[in-house]
């Protein structure tokens, strides 16, 4: 089955997301679901200090494909070449976005995800320099708050994500929040 932007929009609108595992497309609808309440983001003292130092340049949507390729560079990865192509198409349609973190002009970290209404479904993040992916997440939260988003979904709770305030909610609660967020008209 070949993924299309329309399939992705329909899936994310229904609380489902894909992964490419060993060349096989799989669909997921986790219960519970992990979200980062936008008003509860927690930045550690060291991350706050890094943000204040301004050692990184932050851009949005200037190198979407580069961020995806950075995320796919980890092994093993669920981000296939086909995923990079279809999510890049989704980006061109205005439904997928990236936060790029640069140092001396070089892409050293970032995050990307799918945007529908007032919901942002974060897909992955990467870094090649310490704290670059954390800075990307902090800047994503800042931007979503500035623009009135109501939901930041991160798929699964991990120990790493828990430090930022990520929580799990039951699937039914996630779907209520998603449906409410989809009614909003937020711009990234």
């Amino acid at each position: 089955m070949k993924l299309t932007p329309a399939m992705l929009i329909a899936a994310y609108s229904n609380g489902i997301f894909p992964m490419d595992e060993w060349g096989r497309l799989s669909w997921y609808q986790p219960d519970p679901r992990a979200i980062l309440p936008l008003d509860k983001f927690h930045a550690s003292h060291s991350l706050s200090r890094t943000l204040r130092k301004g050692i990184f340049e932050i851009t949005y949507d200037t190198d979407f494909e580069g961020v995806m390729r950075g995320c796919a560079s980890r092994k093993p990865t669920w981000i296939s070449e086909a995923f990079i192509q279809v999510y890049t198409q989704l980006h061109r349609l205005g439904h997928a976005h990236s936060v790029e973190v640069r140092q001396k002009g070089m892409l050293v970290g970032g995050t990307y995800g799918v945007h529908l209404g007032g919901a942002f479904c974060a897909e992955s993040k990467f870094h090649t320099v310490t704290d670059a992916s954390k800075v990307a997440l902090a800047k994503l939260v800042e931007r979503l708050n500035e623009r009135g988003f109501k939901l930041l979904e991160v798929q699964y709770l991990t120990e790493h994500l828990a430090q930022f305030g990520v929580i799990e909610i039951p699937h039914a609660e996630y779907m209520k929040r998603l449906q409410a967020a989809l009614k909003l008209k937020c711009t990234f």
Side-chain angles (χ1 to χ4, degrees), residues 44-58 102-103 129-131 135 139:
S44 67
H45 292 297
S46 65
L47 177 56
S48 295
R49 191 170 38 254
T50 298
L51 289 165
R52 280 193 307 273
K53 284 182 185 175
I55 59 175
F56 297 112
E57 302 95 45
I58 309 302
R102 290 187 171 79
Q103 195 169 51
V129 171
T130 301
D131 286 341
V135 168
K139 291 300 183 175

Side-chain angles (χ1 to χ4, degrees), residues 48-107:
S48 295
R49 191 170 38 254
T50 298
L51 289 165
R52 280 193 307 273
K53 284 182 185 175
I55 59 175
F56 297 112
E57 302 95 45
I58 309 302
T59 55
Y60 302 92
D61 287 341
T62 63
D63 192 1
F64 182 85
E65 186 174 330
V67 170
M68 278 202 77
R69 289 193 182 283
C71 292
S73 67
R74 290 187 301 254
K75 301 298 177 209
T77 185
W78 52 268
I79 304 169
S80 66
E81 187 62 31
F83 266 46
I84 292 171
Q85 297 308 313
V86 74
Y87 278 85
T88 298
Q89 290 173 17
L90 197 62
H91 167 68
R92 287 187 195 117
L93 294 171
H95 292 291
H97 302 282
S98 60
V99 179
E100 301 92 19
V101 179
R102 290 187 171 79
Q103 195 169 51
K104 298 179 183 167
M106 300 289 298
L107 184 64

Side-chain angles (χ1 to χ4, degrees), residues 145-162:
N145 276 319
E146 286 171 354
R147 298 185 174 220
F149 281 73
K150 296 299 177 199
L151 180 64
L152 174 53
E153 182 261 344
V154 297
Q155 299 174 348
Y156 298 104
L157 177 63
T158 64
E159 189 175 315
H160 173 71
L161 289 174

